[in-house]
Amino acid sequence: MFDLKAWVEAHRWAVLGVLVGTAVIGAGVFWTKTQSEPAPVQILSASGSAELIVDIGGEVVRPGVYKLPIGSRIEDALRSAGGVTGGADTDYINKYLNKAAKVSDGQKLYIPHAGAENAQRSTLNAQVNINSASQAELEGLPGIGPVTAGKIISNRPYQNTSELLSKKIVGRKVYEQIQDQISVW
């Protein structure tokens, strides 16, 4: 008959070594998993609060560079610049500017003049806004089918188009095909 107590007594150092080794390996795996996610970068002001910096131009009352709290929306940025002027292109704003979208650090917001014909506006109008495009509009892009269009929609909002790569929604080849045809505003 096998005597477990005698076996454990005879092999106690080996059993203890296995238990300690397992604990060390488990702690290492836990530490590695918790350390693999980089902490988000935040800009801290002298007061210690997190901020981002946005450049607002065009048809706003006070164009300029503004510091806003992290999590601010385009509406907040426009308000900090005194709002839009009477000469602002309200059709453009209503169609192509999502005032509820979060602004990102270093973002440029430009409000065009009503009736203005400029290259930036026509380029933006021709681009597909990945934050507001319909399933059909997204599927009209090269290399984007129903499944990928659904992934784009379910991962909204985007701060910039390169998040399609960082969130692994599209591969590099597809991104290179569509990068000039998409925008986030």
Side-chain angles (χ1 to χ4, degrees):
M1 176 177 218
F2 180 71
D3 185 6
L4 180 61
K5 185 176 180 181
W7 184 87
V8 169
E9 189 65 33
H11 297 93
R12 70 176 168 247
W13 295 110
V15 170
L16 183 61
V18 167
L19 290 175
V20 169
T22 303
V24 168
I25 290 171
V29 168
F30 176 77
W31 183 81
T32 302
K33 289 235 182 237
T34 60
Q35 299 302 313
S36 64
E37 294 285 328
V41 176
Q42 294 183 344
I43 299 171
L44 298 178
S45 69
S47 66
S49 63
E51 296 180 331
L52 47 85
I53 299 175
V54 180
D55 181 4
I56 308 168
E59 291 296 321
V60 291
V61 175
R62 292 183 306 274
V65 176
Y66 291 87
K67 289 182 181 178
L68 300 171
I70 296 290
S72 293
R73 308 290 176 160
I74 289 178
E75 176 69 21
D76 301 324
L78 292 173
R79 197 174 305 122
S80 68
V84 298
T85 67
D89 187 342
T90 55
D91 285 340
Y92 171 85
I93 293 168
N94 292 333
K95 289 180 185 175
Y96 302 107
L97 190 64
N98 179 359
K99 292 190 243 177
K102 288 184 178 180
V103 292
S104 59
D105 187 48
Q107 183 174 348
K108 169 74 174 176
L109 291 174
Y110 180 80
I111 306 300
H113 182 74
E117 296 296 325
N118 63 52
Q120 181 183 10
R121 182 172 173 202
S122 62
T123 299
L124 282 174
N125 289 349
Q127 291 180 327
V128 173
N129 181 335
I130 60 175
N131 281 327
S132 62
S134 68
Q135 175 93 14
E137 289 172 315
L138 293 169
E139 289 179 28
L141 294 168
I144 305 294
V147 173
T148 304
K151 287 181 186 178
I152 292 171
I153 291 169
S154 66
N155 280 281
R156 290 175 177 165
Y158 300 95
Q159 299 301 315
N160 57 61
T161 60
S162 65
E163 287 183 55
L164 293 177
L165 279 175
S166 64
K167 291 182 178 182
K168 298 184 177 162
I169 294 166
V170 299
R172 181 157 303 280
K173 184 178 177 181
V174 170
Y175 181 74
E176 288 172 359
Q177 288 178 316
I178 65 172
Q179 68 183 349
D180 294 333
Q181 299 174 43
I182 58 175
S183 70
V184 291
W185 53 77

